Amino acid sequence: MNFQVTVLKILVSYPDGFAIMADLKRDMAILATSGRDWSERTKRLAARVPDLDIFSQALIERLNGGWRITEKGKTVLDFMEARSSGPQTAQDAPVEQLSFAEPAPRLLVSIRAGRNQRLQRRRAARARARAKAS
């Protein structure tokens, strides 16, 4: 369950919600070794939707060597992150019926700027390598 929540959190932090497998694995390794806080957070989030299955519920889609979070996946993640006065679960409401007006704050938003810069540097390095090879 924590794996699935982590995948949703990582994908939502990427532009267009898409990440290639290498980036996904790297980010998961970073979060998995970041300490007990991340593990406890994902357990709390997963408790909000106990029947979570990102694959069969179409919360993510597999594309071009990577995964992309769907709108439905973003909605479920928003539900899990929604702050409320008391503990709630989605046991009574299936994932298909969840909808929310305002998005919840993202955990990994602060990483986006650095990630975008790294992606731009990689693209530039690949372009230089291609130009040099030809």
Side-chain angles (χ1 to χ4, degrees), residues 42-117:
T42 56
K43 285 178 188 176
R44 281 193 310 273
L45 291 173
R48 304 283 315 271
V49 183
D51 59 340
L52 181 68
D53 186 343
I54 59 176
F55 300 104
S56 68
Q57 294 170 337
L59 305 182
I60 64 166
E61 57 186 356
R62 297 175 187 150
L63 301 168
N64 303 326
W67 292 349
R68 179 186 319 229
I69 189 168
T70 63
E71 287 302 316
K72 187 176 174 183
K74 290 176 185 176
T75 301
V76 171
L77 187 59
D78 287 344
F79 173 77
M80 286 190 286
E81 294 178 327
R83 297 174 193 253
S84 62
S85 58
Q88 295 179 348
T89 63
Q91 292 173 349
D92 297 332
V95 172
E96 292 79 20
Q97 296 177 358
L98 300 176
S99 65
F100 300 93
E102 20 182 304
R106 307 282 186 232
L107 174 68
L108 301 176
V109 169
S110 62
I111 297 173
R112 280 187 187 161
R115 181 173 293 131
N116 287 339
Q117 290 173 351

